[in-house]
Amino acid sequence: MPPFSTRTRLATVSALTALGAFASLGTATAAEPALNGEWAPFTRCPVDAPAMLAADGLAQTPQCVVSSSTSGSIKLGNTTVVTGKTNLQIGIVQNADGTSSVVAPPGGALIAEPATVPGGLLGLMCPSDIPVITGLCESLENSSLNKITAIMESVGAPYAFNQTAGILTDMPIVALPVRIHLENPLLGSKCYIGTAANPIVLRPENRDFPAFDMSFFQGDGTSDPAGEMSRINLTGSTQNDSTFAVPGATGCGLNVGLINLAVNAKTGLPSASGNNSLTLNNTQTYLTGLNAPGTVAPRAGAVLAENWHSAVK
């Protein structure tokens, strides 16, 4: 069976590497299925989404993507948060004109280990010259209420997608609007850095080239050099963006205005472009799809879904 076309590979690789930047932080989802063989990493591919099922194999080609990182960090103003294991899974519909669209799983594209803000509330807003905040800081000494976790959330569709940047270095791949949810009982439920109207916009770039190889397998995941499926493997690269600006915190605490001021003053927010950065280490990215989707037109999306379900253990 023939491998992916050059056009498809370029668009796919750029989606893989760029969208891995989403995985700096995230939220957990329900238990995932176990899949056989080469399908194993693709536990949340949205194969049953209408846009994926509608891909005919000619005008649109459906594919599954997973991108994970063992560790990383994000610096916002004066605060750096170390991230743990992360995992992004999406579907991609490649269009015949060279464009593509992204399809997220029902539970969201990202899962990740919780990221802890260093120093908690004490580190985030103390000391402060605001009397009310000073009293709060004193009450937090040795308190379990001090801990803050941070969750990055997508707040809009990606845009400015560059098909070829994913296999190059130092070239923006895609623009990703996000916000960061700061979670702590004293901050309330609506404490965010960035909003849907004023997001943090990440434009990730490859800092080095990933190792590249391909494998072939049957629809149920069994390895087979003559199989109907292909998997592209891109491993070991580092991704970074240091161009994004960060707006101030909003919605933090019962006394919203005072808590926002304290958080922003201590962390140096808002923070202009050049003062912030995102890094993802040792990214492991995989893409899979039909070798010859045109041969099963107009059912390419349905065949991909059938194959995925046949691989569930």
Side-chain angles (χ1 to χ4, degrees):
M1 296 289 182
F4 294 121
S5 69
T6 299
R7 177 189 62 79
T8 296
R9 185 179 297 119
L10 289 176
T12 294
V13 170
S14 57
L16 293 172
T17 53
L19 291 165
F22 270 114
S24 63
L25 300 167
T27 57
T29 61
E32 300 170 8
L35 273 68
N36 179 56
E38 298 291 306
W39 272 114
F42 303 92
T43 53
R44 297 185 291 118
C45 184
V47 293
D48 296 319
M52 295 282 283
L53 291 172
D56 61 4
L58 295 174
Q60 304 91 26
T61 301
Q63 298 164 339
C64 296
V65 174
V66 54
S67 184
S68 60
S69 173
T70 55
S71 64
S73 64
I74 185 166
K75 178 179 180 292
L76 308 175
N78 300 329
T79 300
T80 299
V81 176
V82 175
T83 63
K85 294 179 181 178
T86 59
N87 180 273
L88 168 73
Q89 297 199 39
I90 55 175
I92 295 179
V93 177
Q94 299 283 1
N95 302 312
D97 63 2
T99 63
S100 64
S101 58
V102 177
V103 182
L110 300 176
I111 62 171
E113 293 179 344
T116 300
V117 177
L121 279 177
L122 285 169
L124 194 65
M125 64 183 190
C126 304
S128 173
D129 58 4
I130 302 173
V132 173
I133 304 302
T134 298
L136 180 59
C137 291
E138 292 172 352
S139 70
L140 286 172
E141 294 286 350
N142 301 316
S143 171
S144 61
L145 292 176
N146 187 44
K147 183 178 180 181
I148 298 178
T149 57
I151 300 173
M152 182 174 286
E153 304 173 350
S154 175
V155 289
Y159 61 93
F161 189 75
N162 186 321
Q163 288 189 345
T164 60
I167 58 172
L168 302 176
T169 61
D170 305 319
M171 175 183 280
I173 302 166
V174 67
L176 309 172
V178 301
R179 66 182 180 182
I180 296 176
H181 191 186
L182 300 177
E183 295 190 340
N184 174 280
L186 296 179
L187 293 178
S189 61
K190 298 180 180 180
C191 183
Y192 289 95
I193 298 174
T195 66
N198 185 25
I200 300 168
V201 181
L202 304 174
R203 292 177 172 84
E205 303 176 358
N206 290 331
R207 290 293 179 253
D208 49 22
F209 296 99
F212 174 92
D213 65 62
M214 292 186 67
S215 53
F216 301 89
F217 58 101
Q218 298 173 14
D220 67 355
T222 302
S223 182
D224 182 352
E228 64 182 294
M229 302 284 298
S230 295
R231 191 176 103 175
I232 293 177
N233 308 308
L234 298 168
T235 58
S237 62
T238 297
Q239 297 171 0
N240 177 267
D241 177 25
S242 58
T243 65
F244 59 93
V246 181
T250 59
C252 300
L254 298 177
N255 192 329
V256 172
L258 291 180
I259 298 290
N260 290 339
L261 286 173
V263 170
N264 290 335
K266 184 65 185 299
T267 57
L269 300 180
S271 179
S273 173
N275 296 325
N276 318 292
S277 65
L278 168 73
T279 299
L280 295 172
N281 302 321
N282 191 29
T283 57
Q284 308 290 309
T285 305
Y286 309 101
L287 173 140
T288 194
L290 297 163
N291 283 335
T295 63
V296 294
R299 297 190 66 253
V303 171
L304 184 71
E306 291 166 2
N307 287 351
W308 186 92
H309 285 287
S310 75
V312 176
K313 296 181 180 179

